[in-house]
Amino acid sequence: MSVTAGESGQGAASGGNGAALLATHGVRKSYPKADGDQLLVLDDVNLSVRPHEIVGLLGRSGSGKSTLLRIISGLEPQSGGAVEFQGRPVQGPVPGIAMVFQTFALFPWLTVLENVELGLSALGVPRAERQKKALAAIDLVGLDGYESAFPKELSGGMRQRVGFARALVVSPTLLLMDEPFSALDVLTAETLRTDFIDLWTEGRAATNAVVIVTHNIEEAVAFCDRVLVFSNNPGRIAAEIPIPLRHPRDRQSAPFQDLVERIYTTLTERRRVPGGPKSPAGIGERLPRVSANKISGLMEALANPEFKGRADLPDLARDLQLDVDELFPILEALELLGFAQTKDGDVALTQAGHAYVDAGLLRRKVIFAEQLRRCVPLANRIIRVLEERRQHRAPKSRFLEELEDYLPTEEAERVLDAIIAWGRFAELFSFDMNSGELSLENPGAEEH
């Protein structure tokens, strides 16, 4: 049975039949901040992983997916809740769980064989048996002949294969993978994904279950049996989407594309996060840190003849080769500024968006300024404060302190940096990095 956050109110997610290999119960994680408060990264995460399934954790950066993986592995303690592996509490690294990292994490002074042997050595496996198993794992991932090579001699894809061999050589019951393909080029990543799925479907992967963190929606549908969609600030399981497709999966098939569309729709419904409840007139609303150039670029892409102002998000992401972390902040900015609307996995330019695309550079700045003042209360707040001051200047710290009443310090800094970048592009106000002051001076006024 599958349970979503809406059904339980706790963000629960469960697998299929049979006893769970892994279960988390109300897992919570927070980190202390410089001001003495706590930054809540994960909250009330409940999930289970059962034998013979691949579970994907999908969401934006900052939703705590990698942190959860480290907690599950025992590399990092949770702040609250519990983690159980094979019915026993996880209170540190435990046998039976291995991890493949995003970066290759190889020791450069060790050969391929020696890197793969490391886990077995830590378990006290005798040398002869250790070497035999390591050679078999190297052969399994297609690196036969490179046993004596050093990491610097290998391509990125080959180094990641060593990472897979090092994890699989200990025959883990549960394999954790933290964006294992994201550091690779597109073709290499696709080859490595296909090779791993072949090992999995043929029963040669030497593991009983997999949990993978990803930002790539098509990768999640191609790879996983279930996808858990995470929300941000703090990270929670917002939805669970089963992937009932047999391997190998045809990415062009209607069922595959329907699942991709469903995940995009789920993410667009859940990505906006309001500011603090005390925030007057919405000045504490979280803003995506996206440049005006990227905002303009996405609008121009939407306006091109292929899309004509409206696009299916999977098609747009595929055409621009953007993953969740790259596409969704720009979409968020477009919607926040009133340049586009998203609904049911589609995005469409608004009248303001079309006007912006059709305008020249100077007129674009005027339209951007109008939308910024119309749609983002913080922009008006900054302008009003500057207008009220005799010299029309104010330190950045003055606005940061106000935002910190509604947002965590780090988030307040990101929001203020975002609005300063947008305000400068729109020529609503200026910012002097040396003095740390905002002002109503417009350095480009004489040129216009």
Side-chain angles (χ1 to χ4, degrees):
M1 181 179 73
S2 297
V3 184
T4 67
E7 294 169 28
S8 70
Q10 298 179 342
S14 60
N17 297 326
L21 293 174
L22 172 81
T24 71
H25 308 284
V27 164
R28 187 174 184 272
K29 181 66 180 181
S30 60
Y31 295 98
K33 300 192 299 182
D35 60 7
D37 288 339
Q38 294 286 316
L39 176 64
L40 187 60
V41 176
L42 289 168
D43 187 38
D44 198 21
V45 176
N46 301 277
L47 64 86
S48 65
V49 179
R50 302 185 184 275
H52 314 302
E53 70 171 345
I54 301 177
V55 177
L57 310 183
L58 178 69
R60 292 263 301 277
S61 286
S63 58
K65 305 179 303 301
S66 294
T67 300
L68 179 61
L69 222 58
R70 292 195 297 273
I71 291 171
I72 289 170
S73 70
L75 295 176
E76 186 170 334
Q78 66 270 24
S79 304
V83 180
E84 294 180 352
F85 177 61
Q86 294 184 313
R88 297 180 180 180
V90 173
Q91 298 174 330
V94 295
I97 299 179
M99 184 179 289
V100 177
F101 297 93
Q102 177 179 356
T103 54
F104 310 122
L106 304 180
F107 291 101
W109 59 87
L110 298 180
T111 65
V112 167
L113 180 61
E114 290 167 338
N115 267 288
V116 175
E117 284 183 332
L118 279 175
L120 296 172
S121 180
L123 294 173
V125 176
R127 182 175 180 181
E129 182 182 354
R130 190 168 72 223
Q131 188 174 85
K132 180 181 178 181
K133 288 187 173 182
L135 288 171
I138 291 169
D139 184 39
L140 184 68
V141 299
L143 282 180
D144 225 4
Y146 289 91
E147 295 85 353
S148 61
F150 288 92
K152 66 181 180 181
E153 301 176 61
L154 307 177
S155 67
M158 294 170 75
R159 275 177 277 174
Q160 192 61 304
R161 287 179 188 272
V162 178
F164 275 102
R166 186 174 55 187
L168 294 175
V169 73
V170 296
S171 300
T173 303
L174 176 65
L175 180 64
L176 307 177
M177 300 199 292
D178 190 4
E179 296 188 69
F181 312 112
S182 64
L184 306 173
D185 64 83
V186 174
L187 295 178
T188 301
E190 184 61 25
T191 299
L192 202 50
R193 278 190 215 104
T194 301
D195 288 350
F196 184 86
I197 288 296
D198 287 344
L199 293 176
W200 174 261
T201 56
E202 293 166 8
R204 298 190 295 128
T207 186
N208 207 353
V210 177
V211 178
I212 179 172
V213 167
T214 179
H215 293 104
N216 187 312
I217 293 175
E218 291 208 4
E219 175 179 275
V221 177
F223 210 80
C224 302
D225 301 305
R226 284 189 293 135
V227 174
L228 307 181
V229 178
F230 274 64
S231 60
N232 285 40
N233 302 309
R236 296 187 178 97
I237 298 175
E240 175 187 343
I241 299 176
I243 312 294
L245 303 177
R246 294 176 62 86
H247 290 290
R249 294 172 180 171
D250 179 4
R251 296 191 180 213
Q252 304 305 316
S253 69
F256 188 101
Q257 293 301 322
D258 287 346
L259 284 163
V260 170
E261 182 84 27
R262 180 180 172 189
I263 294 175
Y264 270 102
T265 299
T266 301
L267 284 167
T268 55
E269 288 172 350
R270 300 178 183 274
R271 73 181 187 279
R272 289 290 297 277
V273 181
K278 300 178 183 178
S279 173
I283 67 168
E285 183 175 21
R286 288 181 167 93
L287 306 178
R289 184 72 190 274
V290 177
S291 71
N293 284 337
K294 288 187 176 180
I295 293 171
S296 299
L298 189 58
M299 282 195 278
E300 288 169 357
L302 282 169
N304 72 31
E306 179 182 357
F307 298 119
K308 298 179 181 178
R310 176 182 294 274
D312 180 69
L313 286 178
D315 291 341
L316 182 65
R318 198 176 302 115
D319 189 67
L320 300 179
Q321 296 186 6
L322 298 175
D323 65 18
V324 168
D325 260 0
E326 296 167 315
L327 176 61
F328 275 75
I330 311 174
L331 288 175
E332 214 169 285
L334 286 179
E335 197 162 18
L336 184 69
L337 292 165
F339 286 128
Q341 293 179 336
T342 58
K343 185 178 181 181
D344 299 330
D346 292 343
V347 58
L349 290 176
T350 61
Q351 184 176 352
H354 281 289
Y356 183 93
V357 171
D358 293 339
L361 177 59
L362 299 184
R363 178 57 185 161
R364 283 187 175 189
K365 284 177 173 284
V366 172
I367 296 172
F368 198 100
E370 291 171 349
Q371 294 301 114
L372 192 56
R373 297 204 65 167
R374 180 179 296 120
C375 303
V376 183
L378 179 56
N380 288 319
R381 175 65 172 166
I382 291 173
I383 292 170
R384 185 163 60 252
V385 169
L386 294 176
E387 287 175 339
E388 291 171 352
R389 297 207 169 192
R390 180 179 300 176
Q391 295 182 333
H392 305 306
R393 306 177 73 86
K396 177 182 176 181
S397 57
R398 180 252 177 266
F399 301 104
L400 182 61
E401 289 173 3
E402 184 172 4
L403 285 176
E404 286 175 339
D405 290 338
Y406 316 112
L407 296 169
T409 300
E410 296 83 355
E411 187 65 28
E413 290 174 347
R414 283 193 290 269
V415 166
L416 191 53
D417 286 343
I419 199 67
I420 287 174
W422 292 353
R424 293 174 82 179
F425 173 79
E427 299 185 15
L428 288 174
F429 47 77
S430 297
F431 175 66
D432 186 326
M433 183 172 291
N434 292 324
S435 67
E437 287 188 324
L438 288 90
S439 73
L440 289 181
E441 294 178 2
N442 183 357
E446 293 180 2
E447 300 175 12
H448 301 165

